[in-house]
Amino acid sequence: RESKYRLHQNDGVGVYGPTESGCGWSEPAKKHRCKKVEERILTLLKKDDLVFISNRHVINSDKNRHSLKKYYWMNSIETINEINDFNKRVRQKGGLMVLILPLPEFELSIAECTPDWFRVPGPSCSQSVNKLRFKRRDLYEMIHSNLDESIRIFDPLSTLCIEGICSMTDKYSKPLYVDNDHITDYANSQYIYPFLKDFLTDQGLL
């Protein structure tokens, strides 16, 4: 959301962000209130508009939390097919879809990973980008093998994982996360927004 705001504030991009709490991508077929999110997007969509969609990735501490499983819609081939079907409707109105791949996620909170005089961040506060991509290899393979080629893919690992390391803080020890999976305004302004702007420009979308 912060990056969308900066695109609007700094680059004159109009932004509309419909959302509904508790609606994973596969939910619209099951819940009327979730289906309305799709319909609002299509109703307001104009030629050359962009539709961004994103989702988090399963982390180890969440794997046994059944109440959260519905949010991991990116792990399902059925969901990828639903995204492709929605993309067809977006393209029929002259729009274009961008899929934002999951951020790095961590087992610890940012409080446990912020350097202090009495604490040195442990190894769980960072991980190599290669190791992270290996953990997610099934997800990446499914997306690249089944996602419609017209959908652009934005990968935040390319900017948040600095010099091949994904960490909860940057080289200045500034927090990139407010918890274990939500990034700070600082991370958005210094890392996500500039990279997203360059990505959209390189794709001829901005």
Side-chain angles (χ1 to χ4, degrees), residues 1-205:
R1 289 178 299 198
E2 290 80 3
S3 293
K4 289 190 298 183
Y5 168 74
R6 292 181 186 281
L7 284 171
H8 172 68
Q9 183 183 51
N10 300 337
D11 306 293
V13 175
V15 172
Y16 173 64
T19 186
E20 188 75 40
S21 177
C23 289
W25 188 266
S26 58
E27 294 298 293
K30 305 173 185 177
K31 293 183 180 179
H32 178 66
R33 68 181 180 88
C34 296
K35 187 67 176 177
K36 289 192 293 186
V37 175
E38 283 188 24
E39 298 307 324
R40 287 205 301 271
I41 293 172
L42 292 170
T43 298
L44 295 170
L45 193 68
K46 298 181 179 63
K47 187 178 184 298
D48 297 326
D49 280 355
L50 300 179
V51 176
F52 289 86
I53 57 175
S54 64
N55 191 267
R56 61 177 298 186
H57 190 267
V58 184
I59 57 177
N60 291 335
S61 59
D62 288 341
K63 286 183 178 178
N64 295 318
R65 297 173 65 185
H66 297 283
S67 62
L68 293 178
K69 285 188 175 180
K70 68 178 182 180
Y71 294 108
Y72 304 135
W73 47 262
M74 233 181 239
N75 287 354
S76 162
I77 183 62
E78 290 79 10
T79 299
I80 300 301
N81 290 335
E82 288 177 13
I83 292 174
N84 289 337
D85 289 341
F86 184 62
N87 178 56
K88 290 178 183 178
R89 301 177 69 190
V90 168
R91 288 178 61 80
Q92 285 171 357
K93 297 201 66 175
L96 187 70
M97 185 175 287
V98 178
L99 175 65
I100 301 177
L101 296 182
L103 297 167
E105 297 191 4
F106 300 88
E107 298 291 341
L108 301 178
S109 70
I110 184 61
E112 298 171 280
C113 294
T114 304
D116 211 324
W117 67 269
F118 59 86
R119 177 180 53 238
V120 176
S124 297
C125 296
S126 63
Q127 56 188 313
S128 75
V129 66
N130 290 335
K131 183 177 180 179
L132 185 58
R133 291 187 191 281
F134 181 77
K135 289 180 181 178
R136 299 178 176 182
R137 62 191 182 281
D138 292 341
L139 168 65
Y140 292 138
E141 176 61 29
M142 183 180 64
I143 289 175
H144 288 291
S145 297
N146 298 283
L147 194 71
D148 190 287
E149 292 183 356
S150 66
I151 301 175
R152 312 297 171 87
I153 298 176
F154 175 77
D155 186 0
L157 299 190
S158 299
T159 184
L160 279 180
C161 299
I162 303 163
E163 297 181 354
I165 299 296
C166 309
S167 177
M168 298 197 81
T169 59
D170 67 6
K171 63 181 180 179
Y172 306 108
S173 297
K174 290 185 175 292
L176 299 179
Y177 287 77
V178 295
D179 49 27
N180 65 349
D181 60 2
H182 293 89
I183 58 177
T184 61
D185 288 347
Y186 170 79
N188 267 297
S189 64
Q190 299 299 312
Y191 297 98
I192 296 295
Y193 163 68
F195 186 67
L196 178 59
K197 181 179 177 179
D198 287 346
F199 169 83
L200 295 176
T201 301
D202 291 344
Q203 295 284 322
L205 304 176

